[in-house]
Amino acid sequence: QPGPEAVPVGPQLIVGYFGQRQRVGALAAYSSAQVDAISRAMADTGLRVLNYTAAPVYAAENRRGHQQWLIEFSSPPADPKSFITLLDRYLRQVNSDYDAKRTGNLFLDPPTMVIVPEGLFDRWLATTGKLGGQRKVPRLCNDRHIVDALLALL
């Protein structure tokens, strides 16, 4: 089961998911809420998540932003849409800021999910020279550099 981690960030302020400025503690708190939400979704579905990360898909002229989750399951869900819907519901329950942005789909659209093959995260860590030891995949990033690198390996 995944443990809470936060992406290394600067000393005081970071640029949050969609450009808002947040205190570093806010990212750590969001990461903890994220772990809680995915743990609840796993418990409800009986699915086992081996690895995951999430990053923003920024708003564009004709679309709102949303989160994109890359998830490696031990066995993929029979109904991926139900899993990501459940995860979104739990994210809203554990994070009031996220819930406020999701209310009415005014600011954020629902998250999307890419189910990745088993071993993708380890392959990515190997490309960065960080496979093994205490190196782990960041669970949350305020840009797309990790997600885009992972998607390029598909």
Side-chain angles (χ1 to χ4, degrees):
Q1 186 168 335
E5 288 125 9
V7 176
V9 293
Q12 297 227 334
L13 290 173
I14 59 163
V15 176
Y17 250 30
F18 294 94
Q20 72 272 24
R21 294 174 66 99
Q22 301 175 2
R23 297 230 170 262
V24 170
L27 183 61
Y30 185 81
S31 184
S32 177
Q34 179 189 51
V35 169
D36 187 37
I38 202 161
S39 296
R40 288 182 187 187
M42 287 190 307
D44 280 5
T45 61
L47 293 167
R48 185 166 171 246
V49 170
L50 302 175
N51 231 323
Y52 70 92
T53 193
V57 174
Y58 297 104
E61 187 173 315
N62 294 319
R63 72 162 194 244
R64 287 176 292 277
H66 66 276
Q67 293 180 352
Q68 182 178 41
W69 287 68
L70 275 61
I71 303 179
E72 179 183 323
F73 293 92
S74 59
S75 294
D79 185 359
K81 184 169 175 42
S82 290
F83 184 85
I84 195 67
T85 299
L86 185 62
L87 178 59
D88 182 46
R89 185 174 84 209
Y90 284 133
L91 285 167
R92 293 182 76 167
Q93 287 177 6
V94 299
N95 186 304
S96 59
D97 184 57
Y98 177 78
D99 183 51
K101 289 176 174 66
R102 284 280 296 115
T103 298
N105 293 335
L106 292 175
F107 186 70
L108 287 180
D109 278 338
T112 59
M113 176 176 65
V114 177
I115 298 172
V116 300
E118 194 168 333
L120 180 71
F121 287 92
D122 286 343
R123 284 193 336 205
W124 173 74
L125 283 169
T127 68
T128 66
K130 296 180 180 179
L131 182 61
Q134 294 295 314
R135 312 293 173 120
K136 297 179 182 172
V137 175
R139 300 296 182 212
L140 177 65
C141 194
N142 60 357
D143 62 40
R144 295 195 50 84
H145 77 278
I146 293 171
V147 165
D148 288 342
L150 284 158
L151 291 171
L153 293 174
L154 291 177

